[in-house]
Amino acid sequence: METHEIKNKLNEYQREIVQYSQMQTFSRNLYEKNYYQSLIQNSTDNLAAELEEIFVTAAYVQENRTENIREVQSEETEEPENQQRVFTLSELAAFDGSQGKPAYVAVNGRVYDVSGKAAWAGGTHFAGLRAGNDLSGQFASCHRGMEGILEQLPVVGVMAAPEE
């Protein structure tokens, strides 16, 4: 429903309720007063129901807009794995989280951005682990069976095959 339609609807209810209120005020008969009171109550209930429907619809539209924006942003920022940046160990080392740089870690051939995780503040993690390194072995020994942790992190690339 458009904004002007909502305003018109509200004005209609307002006029109706004011008219019933005036009729109730000037009525001398108790039954008429009760009748106008019930009309006021019905109008108020109908108004509340319509407003609820408008708000629910607006929330649904907003939620879908937000979801569509996320999908577009996701499509723009996510690269297929075969087109992701390929990191060597020396390139990965530059992303150690120091001096405002992003903090990246490699685990099982994938490079993850841990910059937004409080546990990686300043590029360091528990037990002296540092961003900018391949931590596959440490992850396996510390987080065995908890691969879901990695699914929460943005993937920023893959590791280059080790040079022989």
Side-chain angles (χ1 to χ4, degrees):
M1 189 177 282
E2 296 293 322
T3 304
H4 70 277
E5 292 174 312
I6 294 170
K7 286 180 182 178
N8 289 342
K9 200 66 132 156
L10 289 172
N11 286 334
E12 285 176 35
Y13 277 110
Q14 182 183 18
R15 281 190 295 272
E16 188 176 279
I17 292 170
V18 166
Q19 179 185 4
Y20 293 149
S21 294
Q22 289 172 344
M23 297 298 288
Q24 182 185 30
T25 301
F26 295 115
S27 178
R28 294 176 186 232
N29 183 321
L30 180 62
Y31 295 107
E32 283 183 3
K33 286 185 179 286
N34 288 338
Y35 172 72
Y36 289 118
Q37 180 60 42
S38 69
L39 291 177
I40 292 169
Q41 187 63 51
N42 286 341
S43 293
T44 305
D45 291 345
N46 291 340
L47 172 61
E50 284 202 45
L51 286 174
E52 182 179 5
E53 184 178 327
I54 289 168
F55 290 136
V56 167
T57 302
Y60 176 78
V61 167
Q62 182 63 33
E63 185 178 310
N64 283 340
R65 257 191 217 139
T66 303
E67 187 61 34
N68 290 340
I69 289 169
R70 282 191 200 122
E71 287 175 13
V72 168
Q73 288 173 340
S74 176
E75 289 170 6
E76 291 173 354
T77 57
E78 287 182 11
E79 298 177 9
E81 194 164 309
N82 61 357
Q83 292 181 3
Q84 287 182 329
R85 179 170 177 181
V86 178
F87 289 86
T88 63
L89 279 173
S90 61
E91 289 172 328
L92 181 63
F95 297 93
D96 62 0
S98 67
Q99 299 174 355
K101 293 184 279 187
Y104 294 171
V105 296
V107 177
N108 300 329
R110 297 181 96 178
V111 180
Y112 298 92
D113 184 349
V114 294
S115 304
K117 295 295 180 182
W120 280 94
T124 60
H125 191 54
F126 309 115
L129 299 177
R130 298 214 38 89
N133 292 293
D134 186 336
L135 302 176
S136 299
Q138 291 88 337
F139 184 86
S141 67
C142 186
H143 298 294
R144 184 174 309 280
M146 299 171 61
E147 286 73 22
I149 293 171
L150 297 173
E151 293 172 8
Q152 300 171 10
L153 299 171
V155 177
V156 293
V158 294
M159 289 301 295
E163 294 181 18
E164 300 192 21

Short mmCIF file of all heavy atoms in Angstrom, two decimals, residues 26-55:
data_model
loop_
_atom_site.label_atom_id
_atom_site.label_comp_id
_atom_site.label_asym_id
_atom_site.label_seq_id
_atom_site.Cartn_x
_atom_site.Cartn_y
_atom_site.Cartn_z
N PHE A 26 -23.48 14.04 22.14
CA PHE A 26 -24.73 14.79 22.09
C PHE A 26 -25.97 13.92 22.28
O PHE A 26 -27.07 14.44 22.38
CB PHE A 26 -24.83 15.57 20.78
CG PHE A 26 -23.78 16.64 20.68
CD1 PHE A 26 -22.78 16.59 19.72
CD2 PHE A 26 -23.78 17.72 21.57
CE1 PHE A 26 -21.83 17.58 19.64
CE2 PHE A 26 -22.81 18.71 21.50
CZ PHE A 26 -21.82 18.64 20.54
N SER A 27 -25.77 12.63 22.33
CA SER A 27 -26.91 11.74 22.52
C SER A 27 -27.37 11.79 23.97
O SER A 27 -26.58 11.86 24.89
CB SER A 27 -26.49 10.30 22.16
OG SER A 27 -27.57 9.44 22.38
N ARG A 28 -28.71 11.77 24.15
CA ARG A 28 -29.28 11.82 25.51
C ARG A 28 -29.74 10.43 25.95
O ARG A 28 -30.01 10.21 27.11
CB ARG A 28 -30.46 12.78 25.54
CG ARG A 28 -30.03 14.20 25.31
CD ARG A 28 -31.24 15.09 25.25
NE ARG A 28 -30.82 16.43 24.90
CZ ARG A 28 -31.16 17.49 25.58
NH1 ARG A 28 -31.94 17.39 26.62
NH2 ARG A 28 -30.74 18.67 25.21
N ASN A 29 -29.79 9.53 25.02
CA ASN A 29 -30.29 8.20 25.29
C ASN A 29 -29.10 7.27 25.60
O ASN A 29 -28.14 7.20 24.84
CB ASN A 29 -31.07 7.71 24.06
CG ASN A 29 -31.69 6.36 24.26
OD1 ASN A 29 -31.10 5.49 24.86
ND2 ASN A 29 -32.90 6.20 23.72
N LEU A 30 -29.18 6.55 26.71
CA LEU A 30 -28.11 5.65 27.12
C LEU A 30 -27.85 4.57 26.06
O LEU A 30 -26.70 4.22 25.80
CB LEU A 30 -28.46 5.01 28.47
CG LEU A 30 -27.42 4.04 29.02
CD1 LEU A 30 -26.10 4.74 29.27
CD2 LEU A 30 -27.94 3.40 30.30
N TYR A 31 -28.90 4.07 25.42
CA TYR A 31 -28.73 3.04 24.40
C TYR A 31 -28.00 3.59 23.18
O TYR A 31 -27.16 2.90 22.60
CB TYR A 31 -30.10 2.45 24.01
CG TYR A 31 -30.76 1.71 25.14
CD1 TYR A 31 -31.86 2.25 25.80
CD2 TYR A 31 -30.26 0.49 25.58
CE1 TYR A 31 -32.45 1.59 26.86
CE2 TYR A 31 -30.85 -0.17 26.64
CZ TYR A 31 -31.94 0.38 27.27
OH TYR A 31 -32.51 -0.28 28.32
N GLU A 32 -28.31 4.82 22.81
CA GLU A 32 -27.60 5.45 21.70
C GLU A 32 -26.13 5.67 22.05
O GLU A 32 -25.25 5.44 21.22
CB GLU A 32 -28.24 6.80 21.34
CG GLU A 32 -29.52 6.69 20.55
CD GLU A 32 -30.07 8.05 20.17
OE1 GLU A 32 -29.43 9.09 20.46
OE2 GLU A 32 -31.16 8.08 19.58
N LYS A 33 -25.88 6.13 23.27
CA LYS A 33 -24.50 6.32 23.71
C LYS A 33 -23.72 5.01 23.61
O LYS A 33 -22.60 4.98 23.11
CB LYS A 33 -24.44 6.86 25.13
CG LYS A 33 -24.81 8.31 25.26
CD LYS A 33 -24.61 8.77 26.69
CE LYS A 33 -24.96 10.23 26.85
NZ LYS A 33 -23.99 11.12 26.29
N ASN A 34 -24.31 3.91 24.07
CA ASN A 34 -23.67 2.59 23.99
C ASN A 34 -23.48 2.17 22.54
O ASN A 34 -22.46 1.55 22.19
CB ASN A 34 -24.48 1.56 24.76
CG ASN A 34 -24.37 1.74 26.26
OD1 ASN A 34 -23.43 2.35 26.76
ND2 ASN A 34 -25.36 1.24 26.99
N TYR A 35 -24.48 2.46 21.71
CA TYR A 35 -24.39 2.11 20.28
C TYR A 35 -23.20 2.83 19.64
O TYR A 35 -22.40 2.21 18.94
CB TYR A 35 -25.70 2.49 19.58
CG TYR A 35 -25.65 2.35 18.08
CD1 TYR A 35 -25.63 1.10 17.48
CD2 TYR A 35 -25.60 3.48 17.26
CE1 TYR A 35 -25.57 0.98 16.10
CE2 TYR A 35 -25.55 3.37 15.89
CZ TYR A 35 -25.52 2.12 15.31
OH TYR A 35 -25.47 1.99 13.95
N TYR A 36 -23.08 4.12 19.87
CA TYR A 36 -21.96 4.89 19.28
C TYR A 36 -20.61 4.44 19.87
O TYR A 36 -19.61 4.40 19.17
CB TYR A 36 -22.18 6.39 19.43
CG TYR A 36 -23.29 6.90 18.54
CD1 TYR A 36 -24.44 7.48 19.06
CD2 TYR A 36 -23.19 6.77 17.16
CE1 TYR A 36 -25.46 7.93 18.24
CE2 TYR A 36 -24.21 7.21 16.33
CZ TYR A 36 -25.34 7.78 16.86
OH TYR A 36 -26.34 8.22 16.03
N GLN A 37 -20.63 4.08 21.15
CA GLN A 37 -19.40 3.56 21.76
C GLN A 37 -18.97 2.27 21.06
O GLN A 37 -17.79 2.07 20.79
CB GLN A 37 -19.60 3.32 23.26
CG GLN A 37 -18.37 2.78 23.96
CD GLN A 37 -17.18 3.73 23.86
OE1 GLN A 37 -17.32 4.94 24.00
NE2 GLN A 37 -16.00 3.18 23.62
N SER A 38 -19.93 1.39 20.73
CA SER A 38 -19.58 0.15 20.04
C SER A 38 -19.08 0.43 18.62
O SER A 38 -18.17 -0.24 18.13
CB SER A 38 -20.76 -0.83 20.02
OG SER A 38 -21.79 -0.36 19.19
N LEU A 39 -19.66 1.46 17.95
CA LEU A 39 -19.17 1.84 16.62
C LEU A 39 -17.73 2.38 16.70
O LEU A 39 -16.88 2.07 15.85
CB LEU A 39 -20.09 2.87 15.98
CG LEU A 39 -21.48 2.39 15.57
CD1 LEU A 39 -22.31 3.56 15.03
CD2 LEU A 39 -21.40 1.28 14.54
N ILE A 40 -17.46 3.17 17.74
CA ILE A 40 -16.10 3.69 17.95
C ILE A 40 -15.14 2.52 18.16
O ILE A 40 -14.05 2.47 17.57
CB ILE A 40 -16.06 4.67 19.14
CG1 ILE A 40 -16.83 5.94 18.79
CG2 ILE A 40 -14.62 4.99 19.53
CD1 ILE A 40 -17.08 6.85 20.00
N GLN A 41 -15.56 1.57 19.00
CA GLN A 41 -14.70 0.42 19.29
C GLN A 41 -14.45 -0.40 18.03
O GLN A 41 -13.31 -0.83 17.77
CB GLN A 41 -15.33 -0.46 20.38
CG GLN A 41 -14.43 -1.58 20.85
CD GLN A 41 -13.17 -1.06 21.50
OE1 GLN A 41 -13.23 -0.22 22.39
NE2 GLN A 41 -12.02 -1.55 21.06
N ASN A 42 -15.48 -0.62 17.21
CA ASN A 42 -15.32 -1.38 15.97
C ASN A 42 -14.36 -0.67 15.01
O ASN A 42 -13.50 -1.30 14.39
CB ASN A 42 -16.67 -1.60 15.27
CG ASN A 42 -17.52 -2.63 15.97
OD1 ASN A 42 -17.02 -3.43 16.75
ND2 ASN A 42 -18.82 -2.60 15.71
N SER A 43 -14.52 0.64 14.90
CA SER A 43 -13.63 1.42 14.03
C SER A 43 -12.19 1.34 14.51
O SER A 43 -11.26 1.19 13.72
CB SER A 43 -14.07 2.87 13.95
OG SER A 43 -15.30 2.98 13.29
N THR A 44 -12.02 1.45 15.82
CA THR A 44 -10.68 1.38 16.41
C THR A 44 -10.06 0.00 16.18
O THR A 44 -8.89 -0.12 15.82
CB THR A 44 -10.74 1.70 17.91
OG1 THR A 44 -11.37 2.97 18.09
CG2 THR A 44 -9.37 1.74 18.53
N ASP A 45 -10.85 -1.05 16.37
CA ASP A 45 -10.36 -2.41 16.14
C ASP A 45 -9.98 -2.62 14.68
O ASP A 45 -8.95 -3.22 14.37
CB ASP A 45 -11.41 -3.44 16.55
CG ASP A 45 -11.63 -3.50 18.06
OD1 ASP A 45 -10.79 -2.96 18.81
OD2 ASP A 45 -12.66 -4.07 18.47
N ASN A 46 -10.83 -2.12 13.77
CA ASN A 46 -10.53 -2.25 12.33
C ASN A 46 -9.26 -1.49 11.96
O ASN A 46 -8.44 -1.98 11.18
CB ASN A 46 -11.70 -1.75 11.49
CG ASN A 46 -12.92 -2.64 11.59
OD1 ASN A 46 -12.83 -3.80 11.98
ND2 ASN A 46 -14.08 -2.10 11.27
N LEU A 47 -9.12 -0.30 12.52
CA LEU A 47 -7.92 0.50 12.28
C LEU A 47 -6.68 -0.24 12.77
O LEU A 47 -5.66 -0.33 12.06
CB LEU A 47 -8.03 1.86 12.97
CG LEU A 47 -6.77 2.74 12.96
CD1 LEU A 47 -6.34 3.07 11.55
CD2 LEU A 47 -7.02 4.00 13.77
N ALA A 48 -6.76 -0.80 13.97
CA ALA A 48 -5.62 -1.54 14.53
C ALA A 48 -5.26 -2.73 13.65
O ALA A 48 -4.08 -3.00 13.40
CB ALA A 48 -5.93 -1.98 15.95
N ALA A 49 -6.27 -3.45 13.16
CA ALA A 49 -6.02 -4.61 12.30
C ALA A 49 -5.36 -4.20 10.99
O ALA A 49 -4.42 -4.85 10.52
CB ALA A 49 -7.33 -5.36 12.03
N GLU A 50 -5.84 -3.11 10.40
CA GLU A 50 -5.24 -2.63 9.15
C GLU A 50 -3.81 -2.16 9.36
O GLU A 50 -2.93 -2.41 8.54
CB GLU A 50 -6.09 -1.53 8.52
CG GLU A 50 -7.34 -2.08 7.86
CD GLU A 50 -7.91 -1.15 6.81
OE1 GLU A 50 -7.14 -0.60 6.01
OE2 GLU A 50 -9.14 -0.97 6.83
N LEU A 51 -3.58 -1.44 10.47
CA LEU A 51 -2.21 -0.99 10.77
C LEU A 51 -1.27 -2.17 10.97
O LEU A 51 -0.14 -2.16 10.49
CB LEU A 51 -2.21 -0.08 12.00
CG LEU A 51 -2.77 1.32 11.80
CD1 LEU A 51 -2.83 2.06 13.13
CD2 LEU A 51 -1.94 2.11 10.79
N GLU A 52 -1.75 -3.19 11.68
CA GLU A 52 -0.92 -4.37 11.88
C GLU A 52 -0.57 -5.02 10.54
O GLU A 52 0.57 -5.40 10.30
CB GLU A 52 -1.65 -5.38 12.78
CG GLU A 52 -0.82 -6.61 13.06
CD GLU A 52 -1.53 -7.59 13.98
OE1 GLU A 52 -2.71 -7.38 14.32
OE2 GLU A 52 -0.89 -8.58 14.34
N GLU A 53 -1.56 -5.12 9.66
CA GLU A 53 -1.31 -5.70 8.33
C GLU A 53 -0.30 -4.86 7.55
O GLU A 53 0.60 -5.39 6.91
CB GLU A 53 -2.63 -5.79 7.55
CG GLU A 53 -2.47 -6.46 6.21
CD GLU A 53 -3.80 -6.57 5.48
OE1 GLU A 53 -4.85 -6.74 6.14
OE2 GLU A 53 -3.79 -6.49 4.24
N ILE A 54 -0.42 -3.54 7.64
CA ILE A 54 0.53 -2.64 6.95
C ILE A 54 1.93 -2.84 7.50
O ILE A 54 2.89 -2.95 6.74
CB ILE A 54 0.07 -1.17 7.09
CG1 ILE A 54 -1.18 -0.92 6.25
CG2 ILE A 54 1.20 -0.21 6.68
CD1 ILE A 54 -1.88 0.40 6.54
N PHE A 55 2.06 -2.90 8.83
CA PHE A 55 3.38 -3.06 9.44
C PHE A 55 3.99 -4.42 9.11
O PHE A 55 5.18 -4.52 8.85
CB PHE A 55 3.32 -2.85 10.95
CG PHE A 55 3.08 -1.42 11.35
CD1 PHE A 55 2.18 -1.11 12.35
CD2 PHE A 55 3.73 -0.37 10.72
CE1 PHE A 55 1.95 0.21 12.73
CE2 PHE A 55 3.51 0.95 11.08
CZ PHE A 55 2.61 1.23 12.08
#
